[in-house]
Amino acid sequence: MIAYILRRLVSISVTFFIVSVLVFLMMHAIPGGPFDAQDMPLSEAVRDKLMARLGLDKPLHVQYLSYMAGVLQGDWGVPYQSPGETVIELLARAWPPSLILGGLGVLIGVPLGILLGMAAALKRNTWIDYLASAIATLGLTVPVFVISMLLILVFAVWLNWLPASGWGEPKRWILPIIAYAAIPLATYARYTRSAMLDSLNKPFVTVLRAKGLSERRIIFQHVLRNSAIPMVTVFLPMFIGTATGSIFVEAMFRVPGLGSYFVSSITTRDYPLEMALILMITLMFSGAYLISDILYAWLNPRIRIGGRE
Amino acid sequence: MDQPLKPGSASSSPAPAPREDTASPAPAAIRQRSPLYFAWRRFQSNKAALFAGGVLTVLIGMAVFAPFITKTSFTAQDFLTISLAFPSLEHWFGVDDLGRDFYSRIVYGARVSLSIGFIAAGFSVLIGIPLGALAGYFGGRTDWFIMRVIELFSVVPPLLAAMLLGTLTRGGFLSIVFIAALFGWVQVCLLVRAQIKAFREKEFVRAAQALGASPWYIIRRHLIPNSISPIIVGFVLAIPLAMLLEASLSFLGIGVPPPTPSWGQMINTGMSFMFFYWHMAVFPTAALAITVMATTLFGDGLRDALDPTLKGR
């Protein structure tokens, strides 16, 4: 197991390196720079001095190496759009709103999704099942900005129950949380339904019924436990997915979170922020997949006891 | 996944039946039914997919015959008199902020969305088949390398990379197609790889190898024809992904540039008007939601029908 983890860590570092080179090159290949005349009317001398101070006048490979040397020491640079703070400080300021909304969305969406999936599996081919499938398909196929738009139109524009946008009092959080909850709810409804149907058809359920165990104990103690493994392993990647989902949710609901920086860092050529955002998300996804795979092996007795394959 | 297909599971799924080249005369008494017949039967029993297929047909019809079912061009403006007018008999979906008939723009938007979906899915298949075939047939080092590339694609958030690429190429129809294909081939590749891996050890492939057929010949003549179901499935599932990518990028303003009608871009504009001119937000949102859902349901139905073993993947 340890050898496996080490091998995966090596592969993650290689991935990290390749992604960093690719993103760095693509980022600099985009025409224009952070201090172009149309955005910032600066004199030639000031611009040159600024470029020299940020090291933007050096050849690309030198810039890349000095940037990566900084990153490896935990120094992610200073964002050009707000030079008063470091990239880390900016993220520490902008991430919490996204984390709160995304986290609450996941916390609400996952249990609801599991309940919905269980109801669908137990009442197969009834209206509950069809409703659950419809909700799951809607949540998984329709982009989150369309869901957000529908929420705003129904609850803010027509019914006028909730404010459409903003950040502050918790009333404003409700719609974005529902928008964030859509994907976890749909994912879990679908996974739970198919995993439970899978387990319900296994012979052990027949045995348990034959020995007279109550249906409730069969479902909660045996079937649910048997279907839990895929549900545990999709959790982390999905949770990190809310970070990229924030681009749309926060644009729709005008939340001052991480989302807007994904776009603005690209359009204003804010190289340090852009690199930091993409590299951190990549790292978090790699880490999430690694942890999920370890959890999968650890939770599955066939792998844990029998050794890997 | 590395295990060869179990005999039980192979015989229970009629779809990927090996297609032998020698036409063996079937016993006249038994009526032979093709795998496609059974796939069609399974598809017919899936009412949601059937309905979605109908909706998709209507949408494709709209896209193809757009000039015949709209009265005005999608760029024709009547700015001063009627801009932002609400839906009426004259303008079914109202008029947008620049005085253009919104119904025309939605209909032409179907053209953009669907054509990007289909073309990008086509390119995804073109990239995915050879790579999947190489990985599945040769295994070993080739497989390792292709799988590492796929791993790279799985950890980089596609949207962020697409945003970078979109800005780099300055948006536009072709570059969106290219970006969507760049992220769409992975699924096709995995599906083809799994299928070819399962068929690589079959007798008819062994026989072809024994007769001295080259790997390329075997892949082209035997393995790819036998992978036709996963290829169709991969193609159909890649369509909604490409449409979503286009809509998302256009929503963020780095997709198809403005005069071309794109639903994502219309939703973004509609956002600023939704409190007073609801039609600006409702119609593009509904159009995008209906199209993506219909395509996905149709694709899911096709997948379940063509290859029941793939269900739930």
Side-chain angles (χ1 to χ4, degrees), chain B residues 34-206:
Chain B
S34 74
L36 273 178
Y37 170 81
F38 288 106
W40 173 237
R41 284 284 297 273
R42 276 192 297 269
F43 187 78
Q44 271 185 318
S45 67
N46 187 341
K47 293 283 174 279
L50 216 53
F51 180 70
V55 174
L56 193 61
T57 314
V58 171
L59 286 166
I60 293 175
M62 264 172 66
V64 172
F65 299 109
F68 302 106
I69 57 171
T70 54
K71 278 176 280 184
T72 49
S73 146
F74 61 90
T75 48
Q77 283 180 301
D78 192 353
F79 182 69
L80 291 174
T81 49
I82 55 165
S83 74
L84 285 170
F86 283 105
S88 60
L89 276 181
E90 185 69 17
H91 300 285
W92 292 353
F93 291 174
V95 180
D96 77 355
D97 53 328
L98 298 176
R100 299 172 293 197
D101 179 39
F102 213 42
Y103 169 69
S104 305
R105 288 189 62 77
I106 297 278
V107 169
Y108 277 94
R111 224 177 215 201
V112 174
S113 193
L114 286 170
S115 58
I116 286 187
F118 277 88
I119 299 174
F123 278 115
S124 306
V125 168
L126 283 186
I127 307 172
I129 292 176
L131 288 178
L134 280 176
Y137 187 78
F138 291 106
R141 229 167 252 256
T142 324
D143 188 34
W144 182 88
F145 181 74
I146 292 174
M147 289 312 279
R148 288 295 82 72
V149 174
I150 287 179
E151 197 181 300
L152 198 68
F153 275 88
S154 73
V155 292
V156 179
L159 191 73
L160 295 188
M163 277 160 61
L164 254 184
L165 283 170
T167 322
L168 181 63
T169 53
R170 314 214 145 225
F173 189 90
L174 276 180
S175 56
I176 300 288
V177 167
F178 161 75
I179 295 169
L182 189 65
F183 290 97
W185 67 270
V186 171
Q187 200 177 12
V188 182
C189 178
L190 286 174
L191 288 170
V192 172
R193 172 180 174 268
Q195 182 82 351
I196 287 190
K197 250 190 146 151
F199 273 82
R200 187 176 57 181
E201 308 293 332
K202 294 251 157 142
E203 291 82 353
F204 69 98
V205 176
R206 287 266 183 248

